[in-house]
Amino acid sequence: MAASTNSIKNNGHAPIQNNTKKKRPTIKLTCVGSILLGMYALFLYAVLVTFEKHGVVNDETSVHSMVSFRWSGASKRLGGKNGESNDKIMNNNSPPQQQQQQQKQPQISKKTGDKVLFDVEEISTLLTGSMLKNISRYEIRIQRPPPVGSDNNQEEGLRDRRSISDVISTVLSAAQYGDRQYDDNAGDTQGQQSSNNHSNNNNNIEGGRKDDMPILTAYCESVNQTQWNTKPLPIRDTASSTHLFPIQYPHVQSCRALPSQWPIDTPTDLDPFLPWIHDVFPRPDGSAVVFVAQNRRRCFNGQRTVRANEALPEEVVSHKGYVHWEPGKNYFMRPQASLFQHVPVKKINADNDNGNDLDDGKEVEEPRYRLASHEEADQDGMETRFLCRFKKFHRDDENNPHLSIVGYSLSQFELDYDYHTYRKGYLRTHSEAGYDNHVIWTSQLLFQCPIPPEYRDWVAKGDSVEEDYATLYVDVIPIRTPPRYTPPREFFPPRYNFKAELEGLFIPDVEWGREHILPKIEDSGRWENIPVCMPSLMTHGIVPKGMDLELLALPNVKRTDKRRTVDVPMKEAGTKIHKIIACTWASATFKTRGNRAQVGDGKRRLKEWLEFNILAGFDHVYVYDNSGAFTNQDSLADIIDLFPPEKVTRIDWPCKICSNRDGNEGERSSQYAAESSCRLRFGSHAKWLGSFDTDEYLIPMGDFTSMGDVSEYLDRKGMYIAEFKSSPAKPRFDLLDNPKNTEEGSGKFTPTVKVDETFLHTYNCNWEQFPRSNTLTHRSKQMYRADYVKLHYVHYATATVVSQMTEEETIAAGLRWKHKYKEGHLHQFFEVNEATMLHTKSKVAANTQGWQDSCKIPTRSEHGCNLGFPFPVGADPSKEKFNKDGWAYNCFINEKVESYWWQRLVEAIRIRDSGGQPKSAGVEHIFSEK
């Protein structure tokens, strides 16, 4: 529904006045219907009230009549043909004066005299789309970003205090210089040396985009949310090529380094309808281009309590006594919610001059669409959100460059987010006021653009890439409609065969009309020239270009135990060459949640963790290296180079966490996107996948010595998800370095693993005795069938093949249908005989406050003494309480780790350190012999 001030004030519901006298409890059905009808009428009236009624300014000044900037150095085109100059360019020839950051004095409410602590003018500017329209009034500084981590900002990731000028400056500076210092080392000897130290760094990529090839460009369009109140939705007055604000990204020039070169400081901050893309790659069969994006709005969900004598402006909404730190940014990002919701469209015949300036003369004609109801929509336009335009680059016999349009398609979602909301039993997917971080499946936006059929085999073989850059490109054009805040069931696609619970709550003909024709692509805000690279295994050198993966295909495992579940039909995303793979998101150094502590043992941990996982039978490990988010001086590349490339692959992944706050306010966007990227990129070729931190060890137990064998065991049982219990272990005091070496004045110290010890051995001390009974679901981890899980959220599978089935499909598969979905193919590991997890979470100095007292008090819990004093093997915990030094026993040793895995890990580390290659429990695939 359209947004109105009245509806916002009550979390999406208009205030209802009910002056009816109290009657007896029994109410006839007709009375209930009358009351509901009256409430609905008041609700419809409320959503028609406009922002102008409440004094919101609507500034329609054209942006490009006021913009006159130029990039430093040579002028660079921001739109049109390659090599062509453009008058819409940035200027930084004479740097402006240092912007003064003055603390604004609190405003005083005229009604109550209370303090107004929010900048109402800024909120109005964001909601009316005036930021881009009046961009020339802001003082914009385009300058090289400081080295990552050099400012030591303790608030980074906790609160975004940037002004509108700062936001614009950040986006444009990133486009000019790259997001990280070592992306462009001209005149930067420190960054140059850093890049030379790591063979996998971006600067050592051979080949790449040539100067005459298309440049990744974001065309930003103003978003005026006050127009959303008009019914039917009017054609956007900003939909014109002359009103778009283009930003080029010339630093995107390598397919292999695409995840690290993709813009981190995103143009989504200027145009919230642009998807906040983190990764993009083709499916293994070349059928589609996959996009992994995040919900930028969730970054601004930090909250505080409403203060005493604080008057909230009409535009700002509180919730249970809390209010957003940055409500203007949160509300500005409302269009991000729209991107998760399907919109039906119908192809029409319209006057079409193609509107493009490409030079081939044989382009495919641009299709035109209008917004439609489900009944009118085309089959391929029933559940879409983006228009996709494909272009091909080539050179003629005289080496002249040409760019031709070769096809169009409509996007497809990886899953139906609204349907999943319904299956989880939630009332709404999104809220207008933005208090919805608990709806975690709206964190990751996953969609794909189908590639024109005649180019799919070309892409699948890797022939679309020349010298590490693409010759096929896709443009992504969002269909811009206001978010729907109605219950999801009110607008389900017909395939679910559901009728709306409240008829008429969302009527497309009323909301959009029957003549809302989408603007031409050249007049629309969009991502343009996104490279379509090779399939991921080829891009990262895991298999040679053009290789037939069927030569490496694993045999299917026959199911033998059919007692618990029925088989679920699943479409394999790619040829399976690995039994099980592991993904991890790690860095050389990082900050804990809330920026409470800095941890710098990432390299040491990764080396040991990789050694153990290879030893324990993982066929391949993919490391998403997040070091670039914290430092320009180091990465994990030198550690990964110690391991064979057929076992370990590094993906440079510098995306920052956008909100490192605790609980539901946090949004670890970089981690979430990394997991989805790994699942969709590399899980396509693995039967099982697990995404774990480098302090989490998956340990085969009982007679198992390989996680590959454990995965086959699960296949025979018909399980698709397997869950590990997890709680932080305690570091054994006798195996730690001398506390005096890191002791602080208050007596606390930093528990440090000795140089000649391992984390696996030191932390082999669980506070619960095996088998553990405390499930601690919020900390559990899973391994899962990559083709079965549609969306995974760190600790558990959020959406699966079964949860996305319609009622008819569920019954046809022999499964029981329930409105509230509960996973039926989940296996809880029996820790003694199957597998377990050891969580070796680092302890910091704050964890040892008062340890000399607390560690002498008998306790068997996660809390209390954070240092480990293990019970003797075979001891009776109810009788034996203290060791000979008076320390209280508080944890239990895993005997298989102590007597089997630790010894083998030490030997494997010794062999690798001496230049050898330890044997692993996994099945080797020697590609050169196939």
Side-chain angles (χ1 to χ4, degrees):
M1 297 295 288
S4 74
T5 303
N6 281 357
S7 63
I8 295 174
K9 294 293 286 185
N10 291 278
N11 274 336
H13 296 281
I16 303 298
Q17 298 290 335
N18 190 350
N19 298 321
T20 306
K21 294 182 180 179
K22 187 174 181 180
K23 296 183 178 181
R24 59 184 183 180
T26 305
I27 302 176
K28 294 184 178 179
L29 185 61
T30 54
C31 295
V32 174
S34 300
I35 293 173
L36 289 176
L37 185 61
M39 293 173 66
Y40 179 55
L42 288 175
F43 179 75
L44 288 180
Y45 172 77
V47 298
L48 293 176
V49 179
T50 64
F51 275 97
E52 285 79 9
K53 180 177 179 180
H54 296 277
V56 178
V57 179
N58 186 7
D59 191 338
E60 298 295 332
T61 306
S62 172
V63 57
H64 290 298
S65 64
M66 310 178 79
V67 175
S68 179
F69 297 110
R70 183 179 302 276
W71 292 105
S72 61
S75 299
K76 297 184 179 181
R77 183 185 69 88
L78 292 179
K81 295 182 181 179
N82 283 307
E84 211 174 271
S85 62
N86 193 301
D87 58 352
K88 296 191 282 274
I89 50 182
M90 301 285 120
N91 185 350
N92 192 30
N93 291 339
S94 55
Q97 296 180 353
Q98 178 73 27
Q99 183 174 355
Q100 299 297 324
Q101 299 292 336
Q102 299 180 351
Q103 183 68 30
K104 294 188 176 183
Q105 296 298 321
Q107 303 174 44
I108 304 298
S109 171
K110 295 180 180 179
K111 294 181 180 179
T112 65
D114 294 337
K115 292 182 180 180
V116 179
L117 301 180
F118 294 107
D119 188 338
V120 180
E121 180 182 356
E122 178 178 290
I123 295 175
S124 174
T125 297
L126 293 171
L127 294 182
T128 58
S130 300
M131 176 172 61
L132 286 181
K133 295 179 180 180
N134 295 335
I135 196 171
S136 66
R137 74 181 184 183
Y138 299 107
E139 191 171 7
I140 300 171
R141 304 185 66 216
I142 301 176
Q143 59 184 358
R144 181 182 293 277
V148 176
S150 62
D151 55 355
N152 197 26
N153 181 9
Q154 292 300 314
E155 277 202 338
E156 184 177 15
L158 300 182
R159 183 177 176 188
D160 188 344
R161 292 182 180 269
R162 294 178 300 167
S163 65
I164 292 178
S165 297
D166 293 336
V167 171
I168 299 172
S169 297
T170 300
V171 173
L172 298 184
S173 295
Q176 171 72 351
Y177 294 107
D179 290 285
R180 296 169 300 157
Q181 194 172 37
Y182 67 70
D183 280 339
D184 183 1
N185 291 317
D188 179 8
T189 56
Q190 188 177 27
Q192 183 67 52
Q193 178 160 358
S194 173
S195 69
N196 288 339
N197 290 337
H198 305 297
S199 59
N200 287 345
N201 213 311
N202 301 346
N203 295 300
N204 294 311
I205 300 293
E206 295 182 1
R209 187 184 59 80
K210 304 299 186 293
D211 290 340
D212 59 354
M213 299 178 76
I215 298 174
L216 176 69
T217 305
Y219 288 88
C220 301
E221 182 179 338
S222 297
V223 179
N224 185 352
Q225 296 187 26
T226 65
Q227 292 184 337
W228 294 353
N229 298 286
T230 305
K231 303 294 175 64
L233 183 68
I235 302 296
R236 308 189 304 272
D237 57 7
T238 55
S240 169
S241 60
T242 59
H243 288 169
L244 301 180
F245 188 80
I247 307 174
Q248 274 192 332
Y249 293 90
H251 294 275
V252 177
Q253 55 188 344
S254 163
C255 277
R256 186 159 67 86
L258 187 61
S260 66
Q261 293 181 349
W262 192 270
I264 302 170
D265 291 312
T266 169
T268 304
D269 285 350
L270 306 185
D271 180 353
F273 269 111
L274 293 180
W276 187 26
I277 298 171
H278 282 57
D279 202 6
V280 54
F281 46 90
R283 290 203 179 276
D285 60 0
S287 61
V289 182
V290 178
F291 293 86
V292 176
Q294 292 294 120
N295 186 345
R296 184 65 172 161
R297 188 185 189 188
R298 293 171 63 95
C299 300
F300 304 108
N301 270 10
Q303 301 166 27
R304 64 167 175 81
T305 56
V306 179
R307 298 168 185 171
N309 299 322
E310 179 180 0
L312 297 180
E314 288 184 308
E315 295 83 1
V316 176
V317 188
S318 64
H319 178 69
K320 296 183 179 179
Y322 287 85
V323 68
H324 293 300
W325 280 107
E326 303 290 342
K329 294 185 176 74
N330 183 285
Y331 303 162
F332 176 70
M333 287 294 170
R334 283 175 183 144
Q336 288 282 288
S338 301
L339 303 184
F340 287 79
Q341 299 173 329
H342 80 278
V343 57
V345 296
K346 181 176 179 61
K347 193 173 181 179
I348 62 170
N349 294 320
D351 294 335
N352 196 354
D353 59 4
N354 249 19
N356 67 72
D357 55 2
L358 303 183
D359 56 9
D360 190 83
K362 300 178 182 178
E363 294 85 7
V364 178
E365 183 178 0
E366 177 182 335
R368 300 297 301 279
Y369 297 91
R370 72 169 177 87
L371 300 178
S373 64
H374 289 131
E375 292 73 19
E376 294 182 301
D378 300 324
Q379 189 60 41
D380 64 340
M382 188 74 68
E383 302 175 48
T384 191
R385 176 49 70 175
F386 302 96
L387 307 180
C388 309
R389 179 174 69 179
F390 289 85
K391 299 179 293 190
K392 184 177 182 294
F393 174 84
H394 67 281
R395 293 184 175 87
D396 60 23
D397 295 338
E398 297 180 358
N399 207 33
N400 296 315
H402 297 270
L403 190 63
S404 305
I405 296 175
V406 296
Y408 298 85
S409 64
L410 294 171
S411 69
Q412 301 167 346
F413 287 104
E414 184 75 9
L415 67 150
D416 189 321
Y417 293 91
D418 276 340
Y419 184 64
H420 189 68
T421 299
Y422 170 75
R423 294 300 306 272
K424 294 288 285 187
Y426 282 54
L427 180 61
R428 288 177 175 82
T429 309
H430 305 277
S431 67
E432 196 166 10
Y435 297 98
D436 48 23
N437 253 33
H438 60 286
V439 188
I440 57 175
W441 46 95
T442 62
S443 173
Q444 304 169 54
L445 175 62
L446 309 176
F447 67 96
Q448 65 178 19
C449 284
I451 294 175
E454 58 270 30
Y455 291 92
R456 293 177 181 178
D457 187 59
W458 187 54
V459 171
K461 292 180 179 179
D463 294 334
S464 62
V465 172
E466 297 178 1
E467 298 182 342
D468 196 38
Y469 205 66
T471 58
L472 184 67
Y473 307 88
V474 61
D475 303 336
V476 174
I477 305 93
I479 299 174
R480 298 172 181 247
T481 60
R484 297 188 295 270
Y485 301 118
T486 55
R489 191 168 174 174
E490 306 308 315
F491 199 60
F492 273 162
R495 64 188 176 95
Y496 294 115
N497 198 27
F498 278 137
K499 291 184 179 180
E501 293 175 332
L502 299 175
E503 292 291 344
L505 196 55
F506 187 89
I507 305 175
D509 288 352
V510 173
E511 300 291 334
W512 303 330
R514 297 174 60 89
E515 299 179 355
H516 189 113
I517 300 175
L518 301 182
K520 295 178 181 179
I521 290 176
E522 297 304 313
D523 292 329
S524 304
R526 63 194 182 276
W527 279 107
E528 184 155 315
N529 300 328
I530 299 172
V532 181
C533 297
M534 291 190 293
S536 297
L537 293 187
M538 299 178 193
T539 295
H540 293 278
I542 300 168
V543 299
K545 178 179 177 179
M547 182 175 188
D548 182 5
L549 292 181
E550 290 298 327
L551 298 174
L552 305 174
L554 295 173
N556 290 324
V557 177
K558 186 177 180 180
R559 181 178 177 182
T560 57
D561 185 348
K562 299 184 178 182
R563 289 174 296 177
R564 287 181 53 189
T565 63
V566 299
D567 292 329
V568 174
M570 287 183 285
K571 179 181 178 181
E572 288 195 348
T575 303
K576 307 304 179 186
I577 65 173
H578 292 140
K579 290 182 183 178
I580 184 169
I581 63 173
C583 307
T584 190
W585 172 80
S587 62
T589 181
F590 66 93
K591 293 179 180 179
T592 59
R593 290 182 185 270
N595 294 354
R596 283 186 288 271
Q598 184 89 15
V599 179
D601 61 0
K603 285 192 169 187
R604 183 182 176 187
R605 277 192 172 275
L606 178 66
K607 181 182 177 183
E608 178 183 319
W609 185 83
L610 287 173
E611 197 71 76
F612 179 82
N613 279 312
I614 293 174
L615 188 68
F618 282 90
D619 292 325
H620 204 101
V621 181
Y622 296 93
V623 180
Y624 280 68
D625 187 355
N626 193 230
S627 301
F630 301 95
T631 176
N632 292 103
Q633 307 305 314
D634 206 358
S635 77
L636 299 173
D638 53 340
I639 298 299
I640 294 168
D641 286 346
L642 299 174
F643 296 86
E646 65 270 18
K647 284 294 185 181
V648 183
T649 296
R650 172 180 179 261
I651 294 87
D652 193 7
W653 191 262
C655 315
K656 294 181 180 180
I657 294 173
C658 72
S659 177
N660 200 30
R661 301 175 69 89
D662 290 316
N664 280 338
E665 295 181 46
E667 183 67 11
R668 301 176 72 82
S669 51
S670 176
Q671 181 181 11
Y672 307 154
E675 182 177 13
S676 283
S677 170
C678 193
R679 177 176 60 82
L680 293 169
R681 270 186 179 271
F682 306 111
S684 302
H685 302 289
K687 291 188 175 183
W688 286 82
L689 177 150
S691 188
F692 310 104
D693 298 331
T694 56
D695 61 1
E696 296 170 330
Y697 291 76
L698 270 64
I699 302 170
M701 295 290 288
D703 294 333
F704 291 109
T705 58
S706 166
M707 290 306 299
D709 293 342
V710 173
S711 69
E712 290 188 340
Y713 164 77
L714 295 170
D715 285 336
R716 289 192 292 271
K717 292 177 69 69
M719 294 291 108
Y720 303 143
I721 303 172
E723 190 166 85
F724 299 85
K725 296 175 182 177
S726 175
S727 59
K730 298 178 185 287
R732 289 151 66 172
F733 183 74
D734 61 320
L735 299 181
L736 291 174
D737 197 11
N738 192 329
K740 293 184 179 180
N741 294 337
T742 58
E743 191 174 25
E744 300 179 8
S746 60
K748 60 185 178 181
F749 70 98
T750 301
T752 305
V753 177
K754 294 178 181 178
V755 175
D756 58 350
E757 263 296 348
T758 64
F759 290 94
L760 179 73
H761 188 217
T762 303
Y763 279 83
N764 182 23
C765 207
N766 282 291
W767 61 269
E768 269 195 295
Q769 193 170 14
F770 279 170
R772 292 179 288 183
S773 59
N774 195 325
T775 57
L776 294 173
T777 304
H778 66 288
R779 288 178 180 163
S780 63
K781 285 296 183 76
Q782 297 177 336
M783 52 183 278
Y784 52 88
R785 285 282 296 270
D787 290 334
Y788 179 70
V789 173
K790 308 291 287 184
L791 183 65
H792 200 272
Y793 182 82
V794 183
H795 295 283
Y796 53 89
T798 305
T800 66
V801 170
V802 172
S803 74
Q804 286 285 295
M805 285 182 175
T806 67
E807 182 176 358
E808 290 78 7
E809 291 170 339
T810 304
I811 296 173
L815 300 169
R816 183 182 177 186
W817 164 264
K818 287 185 178 181
H819 163 206
K820 286 193 71 172
Y821 168 75
K822 184 177 181 180
E823 180 56 52
H825 292 78
L826 173 65
H827 178 75
Q828 293 278 354
F829 274 122
F830 182 54
E831 295 187 301
V832 175
N833 293 327
E834 295 176 346
T836 188
M837 172 180 282
L838 179 63
H839 190 182
T840 67
K841 184 177 181 179
S842 292
K843 304 297 182 184
V844 296
N847 299 130
T848 62
Q849 184 73 46
W851 70 277
Q852 291 178 324
D853 294 325
S854 62
C855 292
K856 292 183 178 180
I857 302 174
T859 180
R860 290 173 59 188
S861 72
E862 177 185 347
H863 307 291
C865 175
N866 284 302
L867 304 174
F869 297 92
F871 284 94
V873 177
D876 185 348
S878 64
K879 297 179 180 179
E880 299 191 42
K881 302 292 185 181
F882 303 94
N883 68 13
K884 61 183 179 60
D885 296 319
W887 303 113
Y889 296 130
N890 59 4
C891 57
F892 300 87
I893 288 175
N894 182 329
E895 277 301 306
K896 186 162 185 179
V897 170
E898 197 77 4
S899 61
Y900 181 87
W901 286 111
W902 168 52
Q903 297 175 14
R904 280 160 177 74
L905 175 61
V906 170
E907 178 65 10
I909 292 174
R910 185 193 66 78
I911 294 173
R912 194 172 304 281
D913 286 347
S914 63
Q917 289 294 335
K919 293 182 180 180
S920 68
V923 178
E924 300 289 343
H925 288 284
I926 308 300
F927 299 128
S928 59
E929 295 182 359
K930 290 287 185 177

